[in-house]
Amino acid sequence: MLKADDLMKDVERQAAGALRLLLEHVPAIKLLDIEHEALTPDHGVDIVAHIEVYGRRQELVCEVKSSGQPRHVRLALLQLRDYVANQAKDAVPVFIAPYLSPEAQALCREQEVGYLDLEGNARLAFGSVFIERQVASKPVAERRELRSLFKPKSAQVLRAMLRDPQRAWRVTELAESADVSLGHVSNVRVGLLDREWARVSEEGLYLSEPDALLDEWRDAYEPPVGRRMSFYTTLHGSSFEEAARRAMSSDRETGLVALASFSAAHWLAPYGRTGTQYFYADDAGLEQLKSGLKLSSASKGENVMVTLLKDLGVLRDTVEPAPGVTCTSPVQTYLDLAAAGERGREAADHLRQERLKWQK
């Protein structure tokens, strides 16, 4: 395993190579030299590239960081701008990291700092030079971090916070509300703060960018793990609704059941009817559904889909939009709909407009 110093040196070496490759592909630019400023004891930047543009010499002063998360980028940009203002007034500031999200790239543009990442995203604008390149890919490490942030236990923390994004949470009370360990909350806290989706006030942690969080969760969403089972029922209309209410009734002894996906959306923000009803349940809840809805197994022609959940965190965050009707929360319903094809995405957009508008 690479130590932190060795890892940083490796990132700087890759950064220098990526910068060289970018500049050498522009005919108007002649690359003269690339210096690693870290070799000097009083360095203020990591890399300095000496170039000529149509015979005019220019310096690019580059700050390299191992993390391109917005919180780290913001601080690095201030340091870089300060260095240019005080020590290299005619130089072009450039920020380089392994990966820069659209939010991080926007920060660079706001501060009028060029940027480059090792995935291929780049923007340099100075004099008569303008280079801009966008790639859709995310590095494996970034995708892994996001998957970790949206894993079941972490998702319980996010769902708790999204119920009221403006609420400030202490770590201990958030752990208690989400029914997870303090360690899980701390990991989620770091992930949110690094991406600037959350901030810390005197009262605690709160979501500052709930929409950005929900957008990323939607794009990385993986449906809850569980066994999906298909059934058929002869019940329909009001008779189905009454039977479903009884199966989900609050006086049940053990079973957990909730309407999900299109079925939950019908109660939360009606958009269009579907011929299939969707449920999440635990083992006892499944038995309640089988009995109450008179379900029979179906290999085709099914009109009831039940997901027997492996992790019950989703059922900790339910709502009751009408007496006896239990639905997955607006956030969970939105995520499920967004992953359910074109018709689902349309219903998800409608639900978000109706139920997931947050005041800042």
Side-chain angles (χ1 to χ4, degrees):
M1 181 178 294
L2 290 175
K3 295 182 179 180
D5 288 346
D6 293 334
L7 178 61
M8 194 61 225
K9 289 178 182 177
D10 186 55
V11 172
E12 289 177 11
R13 177 185 58 77
Q14 293 181 61
L19 180 61
R20 179 183 297 276
L21 193 62
L22 179 68
L23 296 175
E24 288 179 343
H25 274 75
V26 182
I29 296 177
K30 179 181 180 181
L31 178 61
L32 303 176
D33 185 31
I34 290 184
E35 295 181 80
H36 290 261
E37 289 293 287
L39 297 177
T40 64
D42 59 345
H43 75 283
V45 292
D46 298 299
I47 296 171
V48 176
H50 301 275
I51 64 174
E52 277 188 5
V53 181
Y54 298 119
R56 181 182 176 183
R57 293 178 68 93
Q58 182 73 62
E59 283 187 347
L60 307 180
V61 292
C62 310
E63 182 73 13
V64 181
K65 295 294 183 184
S66 60
S67 173
Q69 296 297 349
R71 180 168 65 155
H72 302 290
V73 172
R74 190 180 297 275
L75 178 59
L77 293 180
L78 292 175
Q79 294 172 339
L80 187 54
R81 293 284 297 174
D82 182 68
Y83 175 84
V84 170
N86 292 289
Q87 300 187 50
K89 288 184 170 56
D90 295 325
V92 177
V94 181
F95 181 76
I96 307 176
Y99 173 70
L100 294 170
S101 67
E103 294 81 6
Q105 295 173 34
L107 287 175
C108 293
R109 290 193 295 272
E110 289 172 12
Q111 293 293 325
E112 297 182 339
V113 172
Y115 61 78
L116 169 66
D117 71 21
L118 303 184
E119 287 296 298
N121 297 294
R123 188 178 190 275
L124 293 178
F126 59 92
S128 60
V129 174
F130 181 79
I131 305 169
E132 187 165 39
R133 188 168 63 193
Q134 292 287 121
V135 298
S137 64
K138 290 182 181 178
V140 173
E142 175 70 10
R143 294 198 300 271
R144 185 167 57 242
E145 283 184 26
L146 284 172
R147 284 198 300 269
S148 177
L149 187 60
F150 301 131
K151 285 292 185 184
K153 291 297 183 184
S154 300
Q156 288 177 209
V157 178
L158 299 180
R159 282 192 292 264
M161 297 186 73
L162 282 167
R163 288 175 210 147
D164 182 5
Q166 294 182 326
R167 174 178 174 175
W169 295 85
R170 300 296 182 190
V171 171
T172 51
E173 63 181 2
L174 185 52
E176 182 178 351
S177 177
D179 192 27
V180 299
S181 68
L182 293 175
H184 260 107
V185 173
S186 295
N187 289 338
V188 171
R189 182 180 185 274
V190 170
L192 294 174
L193 291 175
D194 280 352
R195 291 167 175 81
E196 295 192 335
W197 295 339
R199 295 180 182 175
V200 177
S201 67
E202 292 183 358
E203 290 76 29
L205 181 74
Y206 69 96
L207 290 177
S208 55
E209 297 292 339
D211 284 305
L213 166 61
L214 190 57
D215 286 344
E216 199 68 54
W217 195 354
R218 175 200 62 209
D219 293 343
Y221 181 65
E222 296 178 353
V225 175
R227 183 183 172 195
R228 288 175 57 87
M229 291 173 284
S230 304
F231 298 98
Y232 177 77
T233 180
T234 58
L235 300 177
H236 58 88
S238 59
S239 59
F240 177 90
E241 183 178 307
E242 288 304 314
R245 284 175 186 255
R246 287 192 296 272
M248 295 184 289
S249 62
S250 58
D251 61 355
R252 63 189 181 275
E253 294 183 1
T254 56
L256 295 176
V257 181
L259 289 163
S261 189
F262 290 97
S263 300
H266 170 70
W267 291 94
L268 298 174
Y271 182 75
R273 288 190 174 276
T274 177
T276 303
Q277 300 291 338
Y278 298 86
F279 292 90
Y280 285 141
D282 64 3
D283 289 307
L286 174 61
E287 294 306 313
Q288 289 170 199
L289 287 173
K290 285 181 176 179
S291 173
L293 300 179
K294 299 179 173 58
L295 299 181
S296 58
S297 298
S299 57
K300 60 181 180 179
E302 68 274 2
N303 56 9
V304 175
M305 299 291 297
V306 182
T307 300
L308 186 61
L309 294 171
K310 181 178 180 180
D311 184 284
L312 301 179
V314 170
L315 295 177
R316 288 184 52 82
D317 187 40
T318 57
V319 294
E320 190 172 313
V325 177
T326 302
C327 297
T328 52
S329 68
V331 166
Q332 183 61 43
T333 304
Y334 170 77
L335 294 172
D336 284 332
L337 289 172
E342 183 176 354
R343 187 161 176 269
R345 288 191 292 273
E346 292 174 354
D349 290 341
H350 177 71
L351 173 66
R352 188 162 179 173
Q353 288 291 324
E354 294 292 319
R355 300 295 300 268
L356 296 173
K357 286 288 189 181
W358 293 293
Q359 298 292 326
K360 289 191 176 181

